[in-house]
Amino acid sequence: MKYSFTLTLFLLFSFHVSFSQDWTLPFSSRIEKNGKKLQGAMVTLMQGGKQVQQTMTGDDGAFKFEIPPNGDYTIIVTKTGHCTKKFQVSTRGVPADKTKDAFKGFNIEAISLFEPLPGIDYSVLNQPLVKVNYNTTTDNFDYDEAYSNQMLNALDRLRQLEKDAQNKQKELEFNYQTAIKTADKAFQKKDWVTAKASYGQAIQLKPTENYPKDQLAQIDVIIKDQEALNKKAESDKAATNKAAADKAAADKAAADKAAADKAAADKLALEKANLAKAAADKLAADKAAADKAAADKMAADKLAADKAAADKLALEKANAAKAAADKAAADKAAADKAAADKVAADKLAADKLAADKAAADKLALEKANAAKAAADKLAADKAAADKLALEKANAAKAAADKVAADKVVADKLALEKANAAKAAADKVAAEKAAADKAAADKLALEKANSAKAAADKAAADKAAADKAAADKVAADKAAADKASADKLVLEKANAAKAAADKAAADKAAADKVALEKATADKTAADKAAADKAAADKVAADKITADKAAADKAAGAKAAADKLALEKTNAQKSAADKAAAEKAEADRLTAEKSAADKAAAEKAKHSIPPALGVDRYKEAITKADGLFKMKRYKEAKTSYEEALIVKASDPYAKGKLVEIEKLLNSDTATAADVDAKTKALLAKYPPGVTEETINGTGVVIIQRVVVKETAAYVYQKKIFSWGGISYFRDLTPVTESTFEQETKP
């Protein structure tokens, strides 16, 4: 709501020599509200307590009075619900020679009315805003300047009171809406205590509002209904509990009676059942005795027949098992010999160094077979047990043989892979490590052969010793009874398996030593290759670095040449711009001087804007004039003042957008940008720095983004008329761009 508006007084007068007092002073104006013509305003011309003329404004809001001479008059402008405004006009003191049409009229361009705010003392408006009287110096009607200045100060104080009241009203409205929102949320959650407290707070803030009162009444009804429902639920629950207790008592009495009746019936039935059972048990016992006798006889006959058949079958199985065992022993001996020969041949082909061990293994195998054949002969009477022991021993031997054979193949494969890897490594490092590699290979081979020979000899010696001990045990046990012979066979088989396992373990250890040596050789070769590669890389890096340094030097020179050229161009451009700006400034100064002179002439016969009535029109008129003179920054300030008075005005908003574009159209030179960047880098740390700048009618949220050698200034301008604009280095951007590019 506004109270001050622009009033421009245009004084047109003419002078006619006359000695009569038949002239009148035409007084005219137009009544407005918020810049629009106001219909239905009452304008009254008073002389003391006497009404001289009165009129009501029509669609155009205009009125005109012919004020008689030699009197003191007051013009009163009123409308229901609006503040009253008064203007005092004195037509006394005019020379007697003034005749009709001596004064062409006193015109006030516009008088604006507004609705008063509650709680504000508007008594200052009981005084005339302007006092108009005859000025003998100018020989025309003019306003009292000292009085006008006094009213200006009073209106400034009134303006501040209204502003404070508006802020207070906004705060009250905010608190009221907050209380309503809190109460409504609590209402939805059925939190009646919070809802009632918040609605009560809202009523205290706005006692005349019906909504919170209606909500409180509704809550009271809901609470009363809920209390009634709760009482009914308690009553229903008590009745239900009583009915349940009565039913439980009746059910217990019925259950007790039924239990007593059942106990009597059960007792009678039990007695009858016992008698029947005794008779049935006797009958069953007699029948069972007869059946058992017949079954025992049948079982005895069947047992005798089954025993005879089992004995015959056992004899036949024993004979067949013995024959099969003999054949299996012969086949196994042949198979073992063939397998041993194949292992020896394969090992000889893979590694001639294992020939001695293959021969020892063959001899041990032949001796084991001979001992086994002798043990088999002694164990002929227990064919089934011998077969089982023999199968276990054969399985163990076969497993050991397979492990040994697999190990030979694996050793060969590992050696081939190691040799292949070594050959590849040797080829890569051939130029640097050929001699070292030959010596290392020879030493590794000698050590591997020595270690392998020692391992093979130890394995052969151990196998021979174990075999000799086993043979002695077998010979001694041959003379013992059948049970001792069986035990000897089992122990021998275990000893043979242990020997084979140990031999395999010893060989694995030897192979591991060889593999570790091969690995060490490969590591040495890899290191030599890596050293060579590192040296090559150092050389290549040096070449690259030298080239980069040369390129950098050339680039630096080119950049320096470019910078010098740009500096020269920038200096020339700056000089040209300075000359153009000076010429433009001189032109604007001349235009401003002319405008100021014209304004001064006009001000001699015009009423101060604050005493007039249309602040919006004053701001727009001033802004348009500045805009035409291309004084855009000053015009921007005036358009913003107009929006403070009339926040939704599209004209002022459009002009502000146009000014922003014009202000941003003049791009800075390269030198200016460079200097600006250096200044920002010197002032702000890396990252995002946010600042708040308070201007006239605008608040600027400024974020300075510093990244390495670059700096950018982002601004969010919040205007008092409600508009918001976003800029990056004075160039308009979107809100999303502003937020995205200024994230920390």
Side-chain angles (χ1 to χ4, degrees):
M1 194 170 298
K2 312 300 172 196
Y3 63 85
S4 63
F5 307 83
T6 304
L7 173 63
T8 305
L9 301 180
F10 295 97
L11 304 179
L12 303 175
F13 63 94
S14 62
F15 178 76
H16 292 273
V17 178
S18 176
F19 298 97
S20 65
Q21 290 287 318
D22 59 349
W23 57 265
T24 59
L25 176 65
F27 191 103
S28 61
S29 184
R30 183 179 63 254
I31 311 301
E32 295 182 350
K33 179 180 180 181
N34 295 331
K36 296 181 180 180
K37 300 170 184 177
L38 184 63
Q39 181 182 8
M42 188 66 68
V43 186
T44 305
L45 178 65
M46 301 289 295
Q47 185 177 24
K50 176 186 175 183
Q51 176 178 310
V52 179
Q53 298 180 47
Q54 187 177 63
T55 184
M56 179 177 289
T57 58
D59 295 342
D60 59 356
F63 75 92
K64 182 178 180 180
F65 289 145
E66 294 291 340
I67 304 178
N70 299 317
D72 295 323
Y73 301 93
T74 301
I75 297 173
I76 303 174
V77 183
T78 62
K79 184 175 175 62
T80 304
H82 296 70
C83 281
T84 298
K85 291 195 172 180
K86 298 179 181 180
F87 301 86
Q88 182 175 304
V89 180
S90 175
T91 57
R92 296 181 183 278
V94 179
D97 59 353
K98 296 296 182 184
T99 63
K100 186 178 182 180
D101 299 327
F103 306 104
K104 290 191 176 181
F106 193 95
N107 176 260
I108 298 176
E109 184 177 346
I111 299 173
S112 184
L113 298 185
F114 59 91
E115 297 176 6
L117 293 176
I120 301 296
D121 181 8
Y122 289 98
S123 59
V124 66
L125 297 180
N126 293 332
Q127 304 296 321
L129 291 177
V130 177
K131 289 184 178 181
V132 179
N133 49 45
Y134 179 75
N135 188 325
T136 57
T137 302
T138 61
D139 191 25
N140 207 341
F141 283 92
D142 206 345
Y143 69 92
D144 186 334
E145 185 176 357
Y147 179 82
S148 296
N149 290 334
Q150 178 183 345
M151 292 304 295
L152 277 173
N153 294 332
L155 289 177
D156 284 340
R157 290 192 294 273
L158 182 61
R159 186 180 298 118
Q160 186 61 45
L161 289 175
E162 273 202 330
K163 185 177 180 181
D164 294 342
Q166 288 173 336
N167 292 335
K168 186 175 180 181
Q169 182 64 27
K170 289 179 181 178
E171 182 181 0
L172 184 144
E173 182 64 25
F174 175 79
N175 293 336
Y176 173 78
Q177 293 298 336
T178 301
I180 290 296
K181 288 179 181 178
T182 302
D184 288 345
K185 287 182 180 179
F187 188 95
Q188 292 175 358
K189 295 178 181 179
K190 297 183 179 181
D191 180 2
W192 308 125
V193 174
T194 302
K196 290 182 71 174
S198 297
Y199 284 131
Q201 182 182 356
I203 292 173
Q204 290 179 354
L205 294 170
K206 287 190 175 183
T208 60
E209 290 290 332
N210 292 326
Y211 176 74
K213 297 176 183 178
D214 295 341
Q215 290 297 95
L216 282 177
Q218 188 176 352
I219 290 173
D220 291 338
V221 171
I222 292 173
I223 291 175
K224 288 180 181 178
D225 291 345
Q226 188 62 48
E227 289 175 351
L229 289 174
N230 291 341
K231 288 180 180 179
K232 185 176 183 304
E234 291 176 359
S235 176
D236 292 344
K237 183 178 179 182
T240 301
N241 292 340
K242 184 177 184 304
D246 293 343
K247 185 177 181 301
D251 291 344
K252 184 175 184 303
D256 292 342
K257 184 177 184 304
D261 293 343
K262 186 176 182 301
D266 289 344
K267 182 178 180 183
L268 181 60
L270 181 60
E271 291 174 352
K272 289 181 179 180
N274 288 337
L275 292 174
K277 184 176 181 300
D281 288 345
K282 184 175 184 304
L283 184 60
D286 293 343
K287 186 178 183 300
D291 292 342
K292 184 176 183 301
D296 288 345
K297 184 176 182 304
M298 186 182 293
D301 294 341
K302 187 177 184 301
L303 183 60
D306 291 343
K307 184 175 183 304
D311 290 342
K312 181 180 179 182
L313 181 60
L315 181 58
E316 291 172 353
K317 286 184 177 180
N319 292 334
K322 182 177 181 303
D326 292 341
K327 185 176 185 303
D331 293 341
K332 183 66 174 68
D336 289 345
K337 185 174 184 306
D341 292 342
K342 185 176 185 305
V343 169
D346 292 341
K347 190 165 182 5
L348 182 61
D351 189 358
K352 290 181 179 182
L353 296 176
D356 295 338
K357 182 178 183 305
D361 291 342
K362 182 178 178 183
L363 180 60
L365 182 60
E366 290 174 348
K367 287 183 178 181
N369 290 337
K372 182 176 180 300
D376 290 342
K377 186 177 179 182
L378 292 173
D381 293 337
K382 197 172 183 244
D386 289 345
K387 182 181 179 184
L388 179 62
L390 182 61
E391 288 174 350
K392 289 183 178 179
N394 288 339
K397 179 69 170 62
D401 292 344
K402 186 175 185 304
V403 169
D406 292 342
K407 183 63 178 166
V408 170
V409 175
D411 292 342
K412 182 179 179 182
L413 182 61
L415 184 59
E416 288 174 352
K417 288 183 178 179
N419 289 337
K422 183 172 178 300
D426 290 341
K427 185 176 180 181
V428 174
E431 294 179 358
K432 184 177 181 299
D436 294 340
K437 182 68 180 66
D441 289 344
K442 183 178 179 182
L443 179 61
L445 183 61
E446 289 174 353
K447 287 184 178 180
N449 291 339
S450 176
K452 190 171 184 305
D456 290 344
K457 185 175 183 303
D461 293 343
K462 182 71 171 65
D466 293 342
K467 189 67 180 69
D471 291 343
K472 185 175 183 302
V473 171
D476 293 339
K477 289 295 182 182
D481 51 78
K482 191 169 180 294
S484 298
D486 294 340
K487 182 178 179 183
L488 178 61
V489 171
L490 183 60
E491 290 176 350
K492 184 63 181 70
N494 290 337
K497 182 178 183 300
D501 292 343
K502 186 174 185 306
D506 293 340
K507 185 174 183 306
D511 293 340
K512 181 180 179 185
V513 171
L515 182 61
E516 289 175 348
K517 183 66 181 72
T519 302
D521 293 340
K522 183 177 182 303
T523 302
D526 292 343
K527 184 176 184 302
D531 292 341
K532 183 176 182 304
D536 293 342
K537 184 176 184 301
V538 169
D541 290 345
K542 185 174 184 303
I543 292 172
T544 302
D546 293 342
K547 184 177 181 302
D551 293 344
K552 183 178 180 182
K557 183 177 183 303
D561 294 341
K562 182 181 178 183
L563 183 61
L565 179 60
E566 289 177 346
K567 184 176 180 182
T568 301
N569 293 337
Q571 289 174 346
K572 182 178 182 301
S573 176
D576 294 342
K577 184 180 178 183
E581 288 177 345
K582 183 176 185 304
E584 180 66 12
D586 293 340
R587 185 180 68 80
L588 293 177
T589 301
E591 290 180 352
K592 183 177 183 300
S593 178
D596 291 343
K597 183 177 180 181
E601 288 295 326
K602 184 178 178 181
K604 290 180 180 179
H605 304 291
S606 63
I607 296 177
L611 294 177
V613 191
D614 199 342
R615 226 175 127 214
Y616 164 80
K617 184 168 289 187
E618 176 208 0
I620 290 294
T621 302
K622 179 180 178 183
D624 287 343
L626 293 169
F627 187 89
K628 289 178 181 178
M629 290 187 289
K630 297 185 179 181
R631 293 160 59 180
Y632 299 126
K633 291 185 178 180
E634 297 173 71
K636 178 182 175 184
T637 300
S638 294
Y639 283 126
E640 288 171 348
E641 289 177 357
L643 283 172
I644 293 174
V645 177
K646 196 173 180 182
S648 60
D649 179 52
Y651 177 76
K653 288 183 180 180
K655 298 300 286 185
L656 282 173
V657 172
E658 187 177 351
I659 287 174
E660 286 292 340
K661 292 180 180 178
L662 291 170
L663 290 176
N664 294 329
S665 64
D666 295 332
T667 56
T669 63
D672 292 336
V673 172
D674 185 58
K676 175 186 174 184
T677 301
K678 288 181 179 179
L680 290 172
L681 293 174
K683 182 177 180 180
Y684 295 97
V688 180
T689 302
E690 181 172 305
E691 301 172 325
T692 300
I693 303 172
N694 293 315
T696 303
V698 62
V699 176
I700 302 175
I701 306 300
Q702 178 168 290
R703 296 178 183 175
V704 180
V705 180
V706 176
K707 296 180 179 179
E708 297 180 353
T709 59
Y712 308 93
V713 178
Y714 294 80
Q715 289 184 332
K716 175 181 180 182
K717 295 185 178 181
I718 306 172
F719 298 98
S720 59
W721 45 268
I724 300 178
S725 300
Y726 300 88
F727 301 90
R728 177 182 59 207
D729 292 336
L730 301 180
T731 301
V733 296
T734 63
E735 179 182 5
S736 60
T737 299
F738 176 86
E739 294 295 342
Q740 185 68 29
E741 295 183 2
T742 59
K743 285 183 178 179

